[in-house]
Amino acid sequence: MQVIDGETLLLFIVLLVGITIIVSILIKAGLEKIGIPALVGYLLLGIGMGLLNSQAYFLTPQVKEIYAFLGELGIISLLFRVGLESNLAGLLRQLPRASFLLLGDVLFSGVLTFVSTFYWLNLDLIPSMFITIALIATSVGISVSVWQSEKVLDSPNGELLLDIAEMDDIVAIALMSLLFAMIPVFQGDVAADFSLIFVHTIVPFLLKVAIFGIFCLILFRYLEQPMTRFFERLEPSPDPILMVVKDPILMIVAMVFIIAAIAGLIGFSAAVGAFFAGLVFGGDPDAVKFDASFATLYKFFVPFFFIQLGLQMQLESLSGSWIFCLVLLIVAFLGKVTGTGGLALFKVGQSSALLLGISMVPRAEITMVIMERGRQLGDWAVSPQIFTSVILVSAITCIVSPLLLRPLLQKTYG
């Protein structure tokens, strides 16, 4: 094999990243025209790159490291956006209204998934827990885009959907963090006595959450605005090219990266730290402006996260395991349609309940983040077969649910 010098390798990586960005833009534009989420295309791009690499080796360890780094920034950008759009204060106000459906959604979907994986499919405890928590989370953006296109998101059902979907994303992220804290117990490193579990895992976890939350609030309330004003004063020249320094979003992005890194260093994941940062900045009156300014960076980094997932998928691991995928797919649909839609019958009509149930089916960002974090732990937590199966099921829910949802919305509101 020919040895490539460092400069040539660097230029090749720059070329490859540039091509990836252009292809990602084309994929997004093409799929959005036919109503398929762009993330499906990004996954397929990653899978395609992996298959091409088996024929023409170009994904060197150095290239994979760069893509992994960009993918990590993609996770941080993704979870920051989720937190930013969650509006925690507003969700807390809506909690009494949506808590009944949220409880049914989380409990039914979680119990059904855990029973199916642990007892029926005979998976070990930790893989079953990862799949269960991953399939609790709903991708609010996919269904919301369909409701928006039909101009019915402002309806009572649309507002209820937003509340439930955002809340169960928060629940899934909280459960993911708790799962990482509880893994020593599940592995037998801590005695399975409730008092010891409480002292050794739950109390430290809650203390970390409280300390980290207070840190984020202090940073936002007392440091964010002075830092923003300081960076705005750094612009002495009217040069329009340099005006970018005045945009506070760059300082905010830097703070998000710092918060995410600190979260990872103290035992959370960087994704959870970014989500915390989004929740905190979401309380700022200028959050909408931040979100708009952040859009370009978001569009740059996030595709690399899904591409990285596609690169990690091992399709050969699915050989002989299609029943496993089918069970997960049935559980993914049934858990949300029954858990949300079934209880919604007590609050809304039959057609509205079905709409809410199908709208909760798509699994995307949070599900994939949870599985990716589990995959990083190793095969004992999330094996290649489990990882590939869940990502495949997530992609299918993202394709099928909008196809079912659009005609139902047109029939109900048309």
Side-chain angles (χ1 to χ4, degrees), residues 141-210:
I142 291 173
S143 293
V144 163
S145 65
V146 181
W147 284 70
Q148 283 177 327
S149 68
E150 299 298 324
K151 298 181 174 58
V152 292
L153 187 60
D154 293 334
S155 66
N157 286 334
E159 293 175 355
L160 182 60
L161 167 68
L162 275 174
D163 294 337
I164 301 170
E166 290 177 356
M167 286 177 187
D168 86 350
D169 276 354
I170 293 175
V171 170
I173 292 172
L175 290 175
M176 178 184 71
S177 302
L178 184 59
L179 175 60
F180 274 91
M182 295 287 289
I183 278 178
V185 176
F186 296 143
Q187 289 182 302
D189 295 340
V190 177
D193 177 82
F194 179 78
S195 60
L196 292 177
I197 292 174
F198 188 79
V199 171
H200 288 282
T201 59
I202 297 178
V203 170
F205 170 76
L206 294 176
L207 283 174
K208 283 183 181 180
V209 170

Side-chain angles (χ1 to χ4, degrees), residues 73-86 173 249 252-253 255-257 259-260 270-282 287 290-291 294 298:
L73 294 183
I75 294 176
I76 293 171
S77 303
L78 184 65
L79 269 294
F80 174 67
R81 181 74 171 267
V82 172
L84 192 65
E85 293 177 342
S86 292
I173 292 172
I249 192 61
I252 292 171
V253 169
M255 290 174 64
V256 171
F257 287 167
I259 292 171
V272 172
F275 179 74
F276 262 88
L279 286 178
V280 170
F281 282 107
F290 293 161
D291 191 34
F294 185 67
Y298 177 88

